[in-house]
């Protein structure tokens, strides 16, 4: 890991930075339990970064730091800094709602709202106060096209999203996230509840999305990590054991623990 | 032993239902022939056969509408606060237990409270307004508890999704949680109101009258309600009033059954929608 001076000022630059997310000395507790034991990490812009590791290793907790979803967990406490595009997202001044528009999230189980397909995708725009019908329609259509769902749902935009299949629901959730044009998309095991065909559709999607978005994906599926990601981070017991190019991690890992995990000897 | 318990169980189950059926049957026999349009639209009278239920019915409608207007926003507001905004801790658990306790306070106590606060201190007199405030207080705990249950039943994943999209707490409540729990909230509210429509004791305490010559035309008017009217008729010695009472009971029971029916319908429909 390269060393760099910690700067507290906002780093303004018109061009996108090489690293979208920087974590410095991050520690997390849930009451007395230490879930993250000091992690430094940089996540590259417009790449797919995979977090792997056995259950309870802290990878989901770490992911949820980036959009401050852990704030709702009782007993959550954190130390250290996380910067996204140079902004310290745990500073007092940060607007959490604004942060979450920049850093979208897709969950493990598809969780569409009990509303129509259209309203699901339009939700992020509506809460920003956008009322222009034409704009909403264009944006919904564009977002659904981005996830290759448009052709399947264009005749039923007003039907309940709960009537869609699991795979369609998950793509809808991705479309919902894309509609607000985030910089980063966090995915917490997005395909673990889906069948293989839906899974491969979402993996293909990731490949296209990384041109414009920085994607961080937590996965339990080793093949998935090796297929979709550019970099892979292996977490174990709240620590970042190894973090490198995916190819390196899966062919020639530095650490014994990493090798044991990816070859299925534990975890 | 199994057999013995089985028959004991059947007996227990049926006892209440059979008694209710006998009661309704005897009421129907007495009362149905007394119910006609005139009975519903006539003002009360000293003569049983001219007497109608109009003033009491209108009194009940007035009270019901005003009680809804007062109890609904306050009850739902409190429930939203307790469920989504308050920090879980000692204070909130004390609040919770006490609200549940309030639901069990005898209704006559609410009557005394209403008499002191609304009738005397706030000088509303024995008006529809005072009665409605009193009943609103009475059903508030029920509305709060059932609204909280309905909001709690909305899956956590909906909240996660909404917050992750950058919604504020209020946006999440107003655009996701309330629409998703609407059916459940309405079920609770209607059940609470159907209890309010049958309440007698607190209204007697605040001074609702057994005899009012006219139906209320403003919230400050004197009023009577169906159960008080029924009670009044039953206590009359003349035979004709017994039939009136039976007919009044049929109308009151119909109202509560219809309200409960709507509540059950909404609940079933809502449960289907959430799944």
């Amino acid at each position: 890991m390269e060393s760099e001076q910690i700067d507290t000022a906002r780093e303004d630059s018109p061009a996108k930075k090489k690293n979208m997310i920087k974590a410095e000395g991050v520690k997390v507790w849930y009451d007395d339990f230490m879930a993250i034991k000091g992690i430094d990490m940089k996540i590259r812009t417009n790449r797919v970064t995979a977090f792997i590791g056995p259950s309870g290793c802290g990878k989901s907790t770490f992911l949820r730091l980036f959009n401050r979803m852990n704030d709702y967990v009782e007993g959550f406490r954190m130390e250290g800094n996380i910067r996204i595009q140079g902004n310290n997202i745990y500073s007092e001044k940060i607007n959490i709602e604004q942060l979450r528009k920049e850093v979208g999230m897709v969950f493990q189980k598809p969780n569409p709202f009990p509303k129509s397909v259209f309203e699901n995708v339009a939700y992020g725009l509506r809460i920003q106060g956008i009322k222009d019908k034409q704009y909403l329609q264009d944006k919904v259509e564009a977002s659904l096209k981005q996830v290759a769902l448009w052709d399947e749902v264009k005749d039923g935009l007003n039907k309940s999203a709960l009537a869609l299949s699991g795979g369609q629901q998950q793509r809808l959730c991705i479309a919902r996230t894309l509609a607000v044009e985030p910089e980063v998309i966090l995915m917490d095991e997005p395909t673990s509840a889906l069948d293989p065909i839906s899974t491969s559709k979402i993996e293909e999607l990731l490949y296209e999305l990384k041109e414009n978005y920085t994607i961080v994906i937590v996965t339990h599926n080793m093949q998935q990590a090796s297929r979709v990601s550019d970099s892979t981070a292996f977490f174990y017991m709240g620590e970042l054991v190894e973090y490198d190019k995916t190819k390196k991690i899966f062919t020639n890992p530095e650490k014994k623990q990493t090798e044991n995990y990816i070859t299925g000897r534990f975890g | 032993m199994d057999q013995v318990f089985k028959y004991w169980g059947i007996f227990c189950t049926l006892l209440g239902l059979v008694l209710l059926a006998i009661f309704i049957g005897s009421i129907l026999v007495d009362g149905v022939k007394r119910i006609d349009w005139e009975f519903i639209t006539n003002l009360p009278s000293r003569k049983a056969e001219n007497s109608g239920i109009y003033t009491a019915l209108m009194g009940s409608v007035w009270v019901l509408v005003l009680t809804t207007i007062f109890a609904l926003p306050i009850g739902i507001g409190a429930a939203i606060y307790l469920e989504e905004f308050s920090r879980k801790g000692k204070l909130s658990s004390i609040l919770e237990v006490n609200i549940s306790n309030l639901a069990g306070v005898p209704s006559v106590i609410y009557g005394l409270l209403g008499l002191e606060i609304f009738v005397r201190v706030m000088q509303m007199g024995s008006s529809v307004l005072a009665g409605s405030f009193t009943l609103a207080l009475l059903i508030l705990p029920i509305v709060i508890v059932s609204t909280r249950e309905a909001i709690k039943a909305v899956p956590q994943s909906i909240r996660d999704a909404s917050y992750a999209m950058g919604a504020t707490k209020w946006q999440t409540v107003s655009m996701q949680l309330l629409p998703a729990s609407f059916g459940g909230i309405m079920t609770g509210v209607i059940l609470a109101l159907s209890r309010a429509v049958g309440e007698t004791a607190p209204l007697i305490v605040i001074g609702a009258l057994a005899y009012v010559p006219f139906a209320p035309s403003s919230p400050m008017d004197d009023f009577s309600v169906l159960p008080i009217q029924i009670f009044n008729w039953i206590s009359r010695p003349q035979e004709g009033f017994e039939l009136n009472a039976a007919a009044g009971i049929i109308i009151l029971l119909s109202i509560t059954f219809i309200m409960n029916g709507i509540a059950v319908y909404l609940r079933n429909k809502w449960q289907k929608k959430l799944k």
Side-chain angles (χ1 to χ4, degrees):
Chain A
M1 237 148 268
E2 36 186 317
S3 66
E4 202 181 64
Q5 283 261 297
I6 298 170
D7 53 340
T8 43
R10 185 185 160 152
E11 304 165 40
D12 277 310
S13 74
K16 276 192 181 177
K17 300 177 147 299
K18 189 173 142 224
N19 293 314
M20 177 62 72
I21 304 174
K22 283 186 203 168
E24 296 153 337
V26 172
K27 295 175 183 166
V28 171
W29 291 263
Y30 293 123
D31 292 318
D32 295 333
F33 173 70
M34 195 170 183
I36 305 277
K37 297 170 181 168
I39 290 183
D40 297 276
M41 189 178 194
K42 287 174 185 161
I43 289 172
R44 291 279 300 274
T45 304
N46 290 13
R47 295 281 192 283
V48 177
T49 304
F51 288 2
I52 60 170
S55 299
C57 67
K59 58 192 189 302
S60 274
T61 295
F62 196 62
L63 183 82
R64 282 159 182 260
L65 290 173
F66 301 154
N67 65 344
R68 297 193 56 168
M69 283 301 275
N70 288 327
D71 290 19
Y72 301 113
V73 182
E74 305 233 344
F76 166 76
R77 200 154 50 84
M78 157 182 178
E79 262 177 31
N81 274 321
I82 292 180
R83 288 168 193 285
I84 295 181
Q85 293 185 300
N87 297 313
N88 179 359
I89 62 165
Y90 280 85
S91 102
E92 302 260 315
K93 279 172 279 177
I94 205 84
N95 176 334
I96 297 187
E97 285 79 39
Q98 189 55 42
L99 167 71
R100 291 184 183 144
K101 281 159 199 162
E102 301 289 326
V103 185
M105 186 162 204
V106 177
F107 293 82
Q108 187 172 359
K109 261 180 75 186
N111 56 355
F113 300 121
K115 295 177 182 292
S116 70
V117 171
F118 183 92
E119 285 305 325
N120 262 277
V121 184
Y123 185 67
L125 301 167
R126 285 205 193 279
I127 59 178
Q128 294 179 25
I130 295 170
K131 294 200 174 75
D132 184 341
K133 269 197 180 148
Q134 193 56 47
Y135 180 80
L136 287 174
Q137 258 161 21
D138 293 347
K139 204 69 207 168
V140 167
E141 180 175 341
S143 306
L144 287 169
K145 278 180 175 159
Q146 262 182 297
V147 299
L149 193 59
W150 176 251
D151 288 333
E152 292 161 58
V153 300
K154 66 181 174 197
D155 298 323
L157 288 177
N158 293 318
K159 289 194 185 134
S160 168
L162 302 184
L164 300 177
S165 73
Q168 289 174 322
Q169 286 186 4
Q170 195 62 304
R171 276 183 285 152
L172 179 72
C173 291
I174 298 174
R176 178 172 75 186
T177 307
L178 295 178
V180 295
E181 299 175 357
E183 291 291 336
V184 183
I185 302 174
L186 309 174
M187 297 188 163
D188 193 355
E189 300 183 46
T191 62
S192 66
L194 303 183
D195 62 86
I197 293 172
S198 306
T199 299
S200 72
K201 278 186 184 165
I202 286 182
E203 288 181 5
E204 280 167 33
L205 192 57
L206 290 182
Y207 198 75
E208 288 164 25
L209 290 178
K210 74 174 178 182
E211 290 195 11
N212 297 308
Y213 306 93
T214 304
I215 295 170
V216 188
I217 178 171
V218 166
T219 178
H220 271 131
N221 181 332
M222 291 309 113
Q223 285 82 24
Q224 182 168 67
S226 65
R227 275 193 304 261
V228 303
S229 69
D230 302 297
S231 303
T232 297
F234 172 60
F235 291 78
Y236 186 61
M237 304 275 281
E239 286 178 88
L240 178 59
V241 176
E242 192 166 351
Y243 177 34
D244 213 324
K245 295 228 159 57
T246 297
K247 210 171 167 191
K248 174 95 165 49
I249 293 271
F250 279 92
T251 52
N252 187 20
E254 300 269 323
K255 304 258 170 68
K256 192 75 190 153
Q257 263 178 326
T258 315
E259 191 184 338
N260 285 346
Y261 183 70
I262 59 173
T263 52
R265 247 167 273 170
F266 85 103
Chain B
M1 200 57 212
D2 279 1
Q3 285 297 312
V4 175
F5 187 79
K6 184 176 151 196
Y7 288 113
W8 170 243
I10 291 174
F11 171 75
C12 295
T13 314
L14 291 182
L15 183 67
L17 285 176
V18 168
L19 287 178
L20 184 69
I22 293 171
F23 169 72
I24 291 178
S26 76
I27 294 283
L28 281 177
V29 168
D30 286 344
V32 158
K33 53 183 179 291
R34 186 64 186 85
I35 295 181
D36 51 22
W37 190 240
E38 294 209 329
F39 179 71
I40 292 171
T41 56
N42 271 7
L43 300 174
S45 157
R46 258 178 305 158
K47 289 190 193 129
E49 59 277 17
N50 291 342
S51 217
I53 206 157
Y54 184 70
T55 52
L57 188 61
M58 283 299 119
S60 279
V61 170
W62 265 97
V63 167
L64 210 54
V65 170
L66 288 179
T67 302
T68 313
I69 291 172
F70 302 142
L72 208 66
I74 297 176
I76 293 177
I80 291 171
Y81 170 76
L82 287 172
E83 205 51 52
E84 300 294 322
F85 286 83
S86 79
R87 286 194 161 264
K88 306 276 174 268
K90 241 193 185 140
L91 187 72
S92 73
S93 65
I94 291 173
L95 275 177
E96 252 166 64
V97 170
N98 275 304
I99 287 174
S100 307
N101 281 342
L102 280 180
V105 170
S107 59
V108 69
I109 311 272
Y110 282 99
L112 291 169
L113 186 71
L115 177 68
E116 188 55 36
I117 296 179
F118 304 125
V119 178
R120 291 188 183 148
V121 175
M122 296 172 80
Q123 306 220 319
M124 293 177 188
S126 305
S127 61
V128 175
L129 197 63
S132 305
F133 274 130
T134 307
L135 287 184
L137 275 187
L138 174 80
I139 65 166
L140 211 48
I142 312 174
V143 174
I144 294 173
V145 169
S146 58
T147 302
R148 289 190 61 185
E149 291 303 320
I151 294 176
K152 211 181 285 185
V154 179
Q156 181 60 33
S157 63
I158 302 291
R159 291 175 181 80
D160 287 345
S162 180
Y163 289 133
M165 291 298 298
T168 61
K169 222 160 205 183
W170 173 243
Q171 285 171 332
T172 303
V173 166
S174 63
M175 297 170 79
Q176 298 295 344
L177 302 183
L178 284 182
S181 58
F182 179 76
I185 294 173
M186 281 303 121
T187 305
V189 167
I190 293 170
L191 287 178
L193 287 173
S194 92
R195 180 175 167 197
V197 80
E199 276 299 341
T200 324
L203 295 180
I204 290 179
V205 173
I206 67 151
L209 302 173
Y211 172 80
V212 279
F214 300 107
S217 57
S218 91
M220 296 316 289
D221 286 351
D222 288 342
F223 71 105
S224 183
V225 290
L226 287 173
I228 295 181
Q229 181 71 72
I230 291 165
F231 178 70
N232 171 260
W233 277 334
I234 285 176
S235 55
R236 296 276 192 102
Q238 299 92 325
E239 198 174 311
F241 283 110
E242 253 177 57
L243 292 181
N244 286 0
I249 289 170
I250 293 173
I251 288 177
L252 181 59
L253 277 181
S254 311
I255 292 174
T256 52
F257 282 166
I258 289 170
M259 289 173 81
N260 289 0
I262 294 171
V264 169
Y265 170 76
L266 280 175
R267 182 164 54 207
N268 291 343
K269 209 179 146 191
W270 169 64
Q271 275 171 349
K272 245 180 255 156
K273 199 183 149 196
L274 264 191
K275 272 165 200 164

